Short mmCIF file of all heavy atoms in Angstrom, two decimals:
data_model
loop_
_atom_site.label_atom_id
_atom_site.label_comp_id
_atom_site.label_asym_id
_atom_site.label_seq_id
_atom_site.Cartn_x
_atom_site.Cartn_y
_atom_site.Cartn_z
N ILE A 1099 -8.75 94.73 44.98
CA ILE A 1099 -8.11 93.70 45.82
C ILE A 1099 -8.04 92.43 44.98
O ILE A 1099 -9.07 91.92 44.52
CB ILE A 1099 -8.91 93.45 47.11
CG1 ILE A 1099 -9.10 94.76 47.89
CG2 ILE A 1099 -8.19 92.42 47.98
CD1 ILE A 1099 -9.99 94.61 49.10
N VAL A 1100 -6.83 91.96 44.76
CA VAL A 1100 -6.61 90.80 43.88
C VAL A 1100 -6.21 89.60 44.73
O VAL A 1100 -5.27 89.68 45.53
CB VAL A 1100 -5.51 91.10 42.84
CG1 VAL A 1100 -5.32 89.90 41.93
CG2 VAL A 1100 -5.86 92.33 42.04
N PHE A 1101 -6.93 88.48 44.53
CA PHE A 1101 -6.57 87.20 45.16
C PHE A 1101 -6.05 86.30 44.05
O PHE A 1101 -6.77 86.02 43.08
CB PHE A 1101 -7.78 86.58 45.87
CG PHE A 1101 -8.28 87.40 47.02
CD1 PHE A 1101 -9.23 88.40 46.83
CD2 PHE A 1101 -7.80 87.18 48.30
CE1 PHE A 1101 -9.69 89.17 47.89
CE2 PHE A 1101 -8.25 87.94 49.37
CZ PHE A 1101 -9.20 88.94 49.17
N THR A 1102 -4.81 85.84 44.18
CA THR A 1102 -4.17 85.09 43.10
C THR A 1102 -3.18 84.11 43.67
O THR A 1102 -2.75 84.22 44.83
CB THR A 1102 -3.45 86.06 42.14
OG1 THR A 1102 -2.68 85.31 41.20
CG2 THR A 1102 -2.50 86.99 42.89
N ASP A 1103 -2.82 83.11 42.87
CA ASP A 1103 -1.76 82.19 43.27
C ASP A 1103 -0.39 82.77 42.93
O ASP A 1103 0.64 82.11 43.12
CB ASP A 1103 -1.94 80.82 42.61
CG ASP A 1103 -1.91 80.90 41.10
OD1 ASP A 1103 -1.73 82.02 40.57
OD2 ASP A 1103 -2.06 79.85 40.44
N GLY A 1104 -0.36 83.99 42.42
CA GLY A 1104 0.90 84.65 42.14
C GLY A 1104 1.46 84.39 40.75
O GLY A 1104 2.51 84.90 40.39
N ARG A 1105 0.74 83.62 39.95
CA ARG A 1105 1.27 83.23 38.64
C ARG A 1105 0.56 84.03 37.53
O ARG A 1105 -0.01 83.47 36.61
CB ARG A 1105 1.10 81.73 38.42
CG ARG A 1105 1.86 80.92 39.47
CD ARG A 1105 1.45 79.48 39.49
NE ARG A 1105 2.03 78.79 40.64
CZ ARG A 1105 1.77 77.55 40.96
NH1 ARG A 1105 0.91 76.85 40.24
NH2 ARG A 1105 2.33 76.98 42.00
N LEU A 1106 0.60 85.32 37.66
CA LEU A 1106 -0.03 86.19 36.68
C LEU A 1106 0.81 86.25 35.40
O LEU A 1106 2.04 86.26 35.45
CB LEU A 1106 -0.20 87.60 37.23
CG LEU A 1106 -1.10 87.73 38.47
CD1 LEU A 1106 -1.07 89.16 38.98
CD2 LEU A 1106 -2.52 87.30 38.15
N ALA A 1107 0.12 86.31 34.27
CA ALA A 1107 0.83 86.40 33.00
C ALA A 1107 1.39 87.79 32.77
O ALA A 1107 2.36 87.96 32.04
CB ALA A 1107 -0.11 86.02 31.85
N ASP A 1108 0.79 88.81 33.38
CA ASP A 1108 1.19 90.19 33.15
C ASP A 1108 1.21 90.98 34.46
O ASP A 1108 0.44 91.93 34.64
CB ASP A 1108 0.26 90.86 32.14
CG ASP A 1108 -1.22 90.63 32.48
OD1 ASP A 1108 -1.49 89.96 33.49
OD2 ASP A 1108 -2.08 91.14 31.76
N PRO A 1109 2.09 90.62 35.40
CA PRO A 1109 2.08 91.30 36.71
C PRO A 1109 2.40 92.79 36.60
O PRO A 1109 2.04 93.57 37.47
CB PRO A 1109 3.17 90.56 37.50
CG PRO A 1109 4.04 89.93 36.46
CD PRO A 1109 3.14 89.59 35.33
N GLU A 1110 3.09 93.21 35.51
CA GLU A 1110 3.41 94.63 35.37
C GLU A 1110 2.15 95.49 35.23
O GLU A 1110 2.18 96.70 35.45
CB GLU A 1110 4.31 94.85 34.14
CG GLU A 1110 3.68 94.56 32.78
CD GLU A 1110 3.64 93.08 32.44
OE1 GLU A 1110 4.18 92.27 33.23
OE2 GLU A 1110 3.08 92.74 31.39
N ALA A 1111 1.02 94.85 34.87
CA ALA A 1111 -0.23 95.60 34.74
C ALA A 1111 -0.73 96.12 36.08
O ALA A 1111 -1.61 96.98 36.12
CB ALA A 1111 -1.30 94.72 34.09
N LEU A 1112 -0.19 95.62 37.17
CA LEU A 1112 -0.62 96.07 38.49
C LEU A 1112 -0.03 97.41 38.87
O LEU A 1112 -0.45 98.03 39.85
CB LEU A 1112 -0.24 95.02 39.54
CG LEU A 1112 -0.93 93.65 39.40
CD1 LEU A 1112 -0.33 92.66 40.37
CD2 LEU A 1112 -2.43 93.78 39.62
N ASP A 1113 0.97 97.87 38.12
CA ASP A 1113 1.56 99.18 38.42
C ASP A 1113 0.52 100.28 38.21
O ASP A 1113 -0.20 100.28 37.22
CB ASP A 1113 2.77 99.45 37.51
CG ASP A 1113 3.90 98.47 37.77
OD1 ASP A 1113 3.90 97.86 38.85
OD2 ASP A 1113 4.77 98.33 36.89
N GLY A 1114 0.44 101.19 39.14
CA GLY A 1114 -0.45 102.33 38.99
C GLY A 1114 -1.87 102.10 39.44
O GLY A 1114 -2.77 102.89 39.11
N LEU A 1115 -2.14 101.00 40.19
CA LEU A 1115 -3.49 100.79 40.69
C LEU A 1115 -3.88 101.90 41.67
O LEU A 1115 -3.03 102.49 42.34
CB LEU A 1115 -3.58 99.43 41.40
CG LEU A 1115 -3.59 98.19 40.50
CD1 LEU A 1115 -3.62 96.93 41.36
CD2 LEU A 1115 -4.79 98.21 39.55
N PRO A 1116 -5.16 102.20 41.77
CA PRO A 1116 -5.60 103.27 42.68
C PRO A 1116 -5.21 103.01 44.14
O PRO A 1116 -4.98 101.86 44.54
CB PRO A 1116 -7.13 103.27 42.51
CG PRO A 1116 -7.36 102.65 41.16
CD PRO A 1116 -6.27 101.64 40.99
N GLU A 1117 -5.15 104.07 44.90
CA GLU A 1117 -4.81 103.95 46.32
C GLU A 1117 -5.81 103.05 47.03
O GLU A 1117 -7.01 103.12 46.77
CB GLU A 1117 -4.79 105.34 46.96
CG GLU A 1117 -4.33 105.34 48.40
CD GLU A 1117 -4.27 106.74 48.99
OE1 GLU A 1117 -4.50 107.70 48.21
OE2 GLU A 1117 -4.00 106.88 50.19
N GLY A 1118 -5.31 102.20 47.92
CA GLY A 1118 -6.14 101.26 48.64
C GLY A 1118 -6.16 99.87 48.02
O GLY A 1118 -6.70 98.94 48.61
N SER A 1119 -5.56 99.73 46.86
CA SER A 1119 -5.50 98.42 46.20
C SER A 1119 -4.44 97.56 46.88
O SER A 1119 -3.48 98.06 47.47
CB SER A 1119 -5.16 98.58 44.72
OG SER A 1119 -6.13 99.37 44.05
N ARG A 1120 -4.61 96.26 46.79
CA ARG A 1120 -3.60 95.34 47.32
C ARG A 1120 -3.72 94.00 46.62
O ARG A 1120 -4.73 93.70 45.96
CB ARG A 1120 -3.75 95.17 48.83
CG ARG A 1120 -4.97 94.42 49.29
CD ARG A 1120 -4.98 94.27 50.81
NE ARG A 1120 -6.02 93.37 51.29
CZ ARG A 1120 -7.25 93.75 51.61
NH1 ARG A 1120 -7.60 95.04 51.49
NH2 ARG A 1120 -8.13 92.85 52.04
N VAL A 1121 -2.66 93.20 46.73
CA VAL A 1121 -2.62 91.87 46.12
C VAL A 1121 -2.36 90.86 47.23
O VAL A 1121 -1.41 91.02 48.01
CB VAL A 1121 -1.53 91.77 45.05
CG1 VAL A 1121 -1.46 90.35 44.48
CG2 VAL A 1121 -1.76 92.77 43.93
N GLU A 1122 -3.22 89.85 47.33
CA GLU A 1122 -3.04 88.79 48.31
C GLU A 1122 -2.77 87.49 47.57
O GLU A 1122 -3.55 87.07 46.71
CB GLU A 1122 -4.28 88.65 49.21
CG GLU A 1122 -4.54 89.89 50.05
CD GLU A 1122 -5.55 89.63 51.16
OE1 GLU A 1122 -5.88 88.43 51.37
OE2 GLU A 1122 -6.00 90.61 51.79
N VAL A 1123 -1.64 86.87 47.91
CA VAL A 1123 -1.22 85.65 47.24
C VAL A 1123 -1.66 84.44 48.06
O VAL A 1123 -1.36 84.34 49.25
CB VAL A 1123 0.31 85.63 47.03
CG1 VAL A 1123 0.73 84.33 46.37
CG2 VAL A 1123 0.74 86.83 46.20
N ILE A 1124 -2.40 83.54 47.42
CA ILE A 1124 -2.88 82.32 48.07
C ILE A 1124 -1.87 81.20 47.84
O ILE A 1124 -1.47 80.93 46.69
CB ILE A 1124 -4.24 81.90 47.48
CG1 ILE A 1124 -5.25 83.04 47.60
CG2 ILE A 1124 -4.75 80.64 48.16
CD1 ILE A 1124 -5.56 83.45 49.00
N ASP A 1125 -1.42 80.59 48.90
CA ASP A 1125 -0.45 79.50 48.80
C ASP A 1125 -1.17 78.24 48.34
O ASP A 1125 -2.06 77.73 49.03
CB ASP A 1125 0.22 79.27 50.16
CG ASP A 1125 1.30 78.20 50.09
OD1 ASP A 1125 1.66 77.81 48.95
OD2 ASP A 1125 1.79 77.76 51.14
N VAL A 1126 -0.79 77.74 47.17
CA VAL A 1126 -1.44 76.53 46.65
C VAL A 1126 -0.55 75.30 46.81
O VAL A 1126 -0.86 74.24 46.28
CB VAL A 1126 -1.81 76.72 45.16
CG1 VAL A 1126 -2.82 77.84 45.02
CG2 VAL A 1126 -0.57 77.03 44.33
N GLY A 1127 0.60 75.48 47.50
CA GLY A 1127 1.47 74.34 47.70
C GLY A 1127 2.35 74.07 46.48
O GLY A 1127 2.20 74.67 45.42
N ALA A 1128 3.27 73.15 46.66
CA ALA A 1128 4.21 72.82 45.58
C ALA A 1128 3.53 71.95 44.53
O ALA A 1128 2.77 71.04 44.86
CB ALA A 1128 5.43 72.11 46.15
N THR A 1129 3.80 72.25 43.27
CA THR A 1129 3.23 71.50 42.16
C THR A 1129 4.34 71.02 41.23
O THR A 1129 5.19 71.82 40.81
CB THR A 1129 2.26 72.38 41.35
OG1 THR A 1129 1.24 72.87 42.22
CG2 THR A 1129 1.63 71.59 40.21
N ARG A 1130 4.33 69.72 40.95
CA ARG A 1130 5.31 69.20 39.99
C ARG A 1130 4.75 69.42 38.58
O ARG A 1130 3.71 68.88 38.22
CB ARG A 1130 5.57 67.71 40.23
CG ARG A 1130 6.35 67.45 41.51
CD ARG A 1130 6.74 65.98 41.66
NE ARG A 1130 7.65 65.52 40.63
CZ ARG A 1130 8.97 65.73 40.61
NH1 ARG A 1130 9.52 66.47 41.57
NH2 ARG A 1130 9.72 65.26 39.66
N ASP A 1131 5.48 70.23 37.85
CA ASP A 1131 4.99 70.60 36.53
C ASP A 1131 6.17 71.06 35.68
O ASP A 1131 7.17 71.55 36.21
CB ASP A 1131 3.95 71.72 36.64
CG ASP A 1131 3.33 72.07 35.30
OD1 ASP A 1131 3.09 71.15 34.51
OD2 ASP A 1131 3.11 73.26 35.05
N ALA A 1132 6.05 70.90 34.40
CA ALA A 1132 7.04 71.43 33.45
C ALA A 1132 6.28 72.14 32.34
O ALA A 1132 5.19 71.72 31.95
CB ALA A 1132 7.91 70.31 32.87
N ALA A 1133 6.85 73.22 31.86
CA ALA A 1133 6.19 74.02 30.82
C ALA A 1133 7.21 74.47 29.80
O ALA A 1133 8.39 74.66 30.10
CB ALA A 1133 5.50 75.23 31.44
N VAL A 1134 6.75 74.66 28.57
CA VAL A 1134 7.57 75.27 27.52
C VAL A 1134 7.31 76.77 27.59
O VAL A 1134 6.23 77.23 27.25
CB VAL A 1134 7.22 74.72 26.13
CG1 VAL A 1134 8.13 75.34 25.08
CG2 VAL A 1134 7.32 73.21 26.09
N SER A 1135 8.30 77.52 28.06
CA SER A 1135 8.08 78.95 28.27
C SER A 1135 8.48 79.79 27.06
O SER A 1135 7.87 80.82 26.79
CB SER A 1135 8.86 79.44 29.50
OG SER A 1135 10.26 79.30 29.28
N VAL A 1136 9.48 79.37 26.32
CA VAL A 1136 9.99 80.15 25.19
C VAL A 1136 10.32 79.23 24.04
O VAL A 1136 10.85 78.13 24.24
CB VAL A 1136 11.25 80.97 25.57
CG1 VAL A 1136 11.78 81.76 24.37
CG2 VAL A 1136 10.96 81.92 26.73
N LEU A 1137 9.99 79.66 22.82
CA LEU A 1137 10.39 78.96 21.60
C LEU A 1137 11.02 79.98 20.67
O LEU A 1137 10.38 80.95 20.27
CB LEU A 1137 9.19 78.30 20.93
CG LEU A 1137 9.45 77.65 19.56
CD1 LEU A 1137 10.53 76.58 19.67
CD2 LEU A 1137 8.17 77.07 18.98
#
């Protein structure tokens, strides 16, 4: 059972989790931010 703000670096890793697994996303509200994603 994963509790996260939804901003995982590798969400594809969640594929194939055992039966009964789930992901719960915690709402952290809007954040003003800028990031360099690609160079």
